[in-house]
Structure formats: structure tokens, C-alpha cells
Amino acid sequence: MPSRSEISYFGAGPAALPTSVLETASAAILNHENSGVGLIEQSHRSANSINIITSACEHLRNLLNIPEGYSVLWMQGGGTTQFAAVVYNLVGHWVQTQLDANNGDLEAVKKALGSARADYLVTGSWSKKAAEEAARITGGAGKLTRVAVNAKAATGKFGAIPPESQWELTPAENSIFSYYCDNETVDGVEFPAFPAALEGRLVACDMSSNILSRRVDVSKYAILYAGAQKNVGGAGVTLVVVKDEVLKKQASEEALRALGLPVPPIMLYYPTLTGAGSLYNTLPIFDVFICREVMAGLLARGGLEVQEKVAAQKAALLYGALGRAGGFYKVVPEKSVRSRMNICFRIEAGEEVEKAFLEGAEAKGLTGLKGHRSVGGLRISNYNSVLVEAAEKLAAWIEEFAKERK
């Protein structure tokens, strides 16, 4: 049986965690801070637990340089639960904004609803699921939500982001919000930067698979969220950064019902959860603890300015090795939108050769390289926990295998 140090794991999530964090967590499970009680056993409302949440929030604020006027929230349910939470909270915010502008006139707001839409940029599997969930909640596609970008339309598969000139955004005055997924884990597509076309709009963003890998201008977003299990921690907790204006300005249940709009479940209603300091119910404190320790390590190594350079260095190593193989490998996405986090590729010689590639890689301790079940192929998940040395080892195998098979 191999030791942990002999394995380089490139799985898409749950992803690898720093060994030092796991060692600290292992001790905390048995006896947290000499309390005689394991961290998993402690009350989520104890002083220890509240300190963990508070310090985790501070670490995130420091790493992302979160400005005043934003709240940090820890939730359960993974990123997928946020597909619904985003809709409930931003529709509620839009309704109250309209009521304020129309002196509480519900009929005027009802009329505005006729042309108001939330725009979804569908650039991969996860944004597609988010758009489908939004349509399901609001009464069907086109009623309150619409697909403003369908990156699959032209080719029948994901792997590109159309030029912004081709986006069919709702006019700004009728826009409820705009939504996109910053990095698509299944399809290997990543937005190079914040879309210029969304400047000045209310924007929600799924950053589950590239959060804390580069610097972000939080002020451009109304909501950003991330499931922890890629770059921050383990599965079981989701971080949410939400603009305070969204929290403070929410329509009442009575107004939403009068307009025929859905009322948010209490566990998806951000104002309730932030008002309770993320402790409206029993939050998995151990998962937040893991996130805190991972973020403390990032801060100690120089924060996101350093991590951004490391992520780019590793991605360049891996894409460079694939490119030097003279066409033996085919990188799936277009070059301009290739993800730094999820490097998706195929071997032109076919699935049997891909299987041989995986077997050879595992023999060298390079694991977790199989593509998502929905698309097949091969995928390198180059998250923050992947060391440069591991990327170098994998790059060497990529080149070695291509030479052997040519």
C-alpha cells in the first residue's frame, strides 16, 4: 500500500487537502485544544465553534480583500443548493427595489415583471444546471429567467465562450440579475476575467472550482459562492459572499405571494442565516475548521497574489506538455478559455489508449485523472493543493507516454 507522500492526486472533488491540515484536523477530532472533547462532538454554539467561524470569515475577507458592505456566510448543501438560493434572494431583492421605486404599488411591479428577466450565461454543465433550476423555481424557461449565452448551441458541446458581442442580455433596465459559473469543472472552461458586458449589473457567480486561485474584485458581484471541496476544504460546507444591500432590501412574503412569486425556504434565505451568524441550524463546524486551516496556510504563503502565480505556473507546465506531443493529445476547450483548474483532454488514438494512459499514471502514483462520467476523456484537476512538483511529474508522464505510443 502506497504512503500518502507517494501519491499525487488530481481528482476533481473532493480534492486533495494539504497533509499538514489533515494532521491538525486529526488531532482536533480526538481532542480539540485540550478540551477533552473532539471538535466534531462540540456544540456549534460553543465559544470554540464561534471562534472558528469568526476566524474563518476573517481569513476569507483577507484573502479576497472583501470590501465593507459585504457579509460572509457558511451554508450546507453544496454549490447546487445555491442554484436555488441565488434565485430566491435576488428575485426578492429586485421586487423590493421595484416596490421602493413605485411607492409600494404592487400593480406597477406586476407590470414590470412582464419584461423583467434574469440572464444565465450557460458555458458548461454546471451553469446549465443552474439555469434549469432557476427556470423550475420561477415557472418555466423564459417566464422570469432566460439563457443569454448558450455556448453549446453552435457545436453541440461545451468548450468555448462566445464573444460578448453575441450575448443576448436583457436590457439593463429590465435585468433582475445575471449569473455565470467562473470555472466549469466538467468541461474545462474558465472565464479569463470578469465579463465586461456585466459591468454595472447585479451579478451572481459560482466560483466553486477556482475560488482562492486568483485575485477577485468582489465589488463587482452581488453574490459569489463556492462549494468548499475544491480549493478550500472538504465536502459539506459552502461559502457565500453577499452584498449587504441584498440582505437589507428583501420583499415580504405577502408581496411575493401577491405577485405569484415563490417564497424562499428559511434555510435558503440569506438574511435569516447571516442574522444568525451562519448558526440558524447546526453548522458542520469541523468542515469550517478545515477551511480555516487551509486559508491560514494560503495567507502564510503570501495570499492570492502568490497563489495566482503558482496556479498559472502549474497550468503552463501541463498545457505545455500536452501541446509538445504533436497532436497526440487534444485539449477540449478553445485556447482562450482553457481552465487553469480543470485541464480536459482526449487522446486521439481512442479510449483504449486513454485507459493505458491512466493505468501507467497510477503506476507512477498519479491518480484521479479520469474525465467526468458525462463526457469521458481525461481531466487534470490542478487545484491549489496540487504541488508544483506533482505537476512536473505529471507533465513528464504526459510527454513520456506520447513518445512511447507514437
Side-chain angles (χ1 to χ4, degrees), residues 119-123 146-151 160-171 178-182 189-199 201 203 337:
D119 290 328
Y120 278 73
L121 314 185
V122 177
T123 57
R146 60 191 295 276
V147 174
V149 173
N150 183 355
I161 298 175
E164 292 188 14
S165 60
Q166 296 178 14
W167 297 6
E168 298 177 356
L169 295 172
T170 298
S178 300
Y179 178 102
Y180 74 102
C181 178
D182 208 29
V189 171
E190 183 176 27
F191 279 82
F194 182 85
L198 301 185
E199 289 282 356
R201 291 175 179 249
V203 178
V337 296

Side-chain angles (χ1 to χ4, degrees), residues 123-124 158-162 167 180-195 205-216 231 308 311-312 315 319 333-344 382-384:
T123 57
F158 293 119
I161 298 175
W167 297 6
Y180 74 102
C181 178
D182 208 29
N183 183 79
E184 293 279 2
T185 57
V186 174
D187 309 285
V189 171
E190 183 176 27
F191 279 82
F194 182 85
C205 185
D206 176 357
M207 294 187 180
S208 291
S209 51
N210 66 352
I211 190 79
L212 303 187
S213 70
R214 64 183 179 187
R215 289 164 289 183
V216 173
N231 267 340
E308 186 172 341
Y319 280 118
E334 291 183 359
K335 190 172 184 178
S336 62
V337 296
R338 288 178 181 174
S339 170
R340 300 161 304 124
M341 297 288 103
N342 305 102
I343 298 165
C344 298
N382 178 37
Y383 299 132
N384 288 355

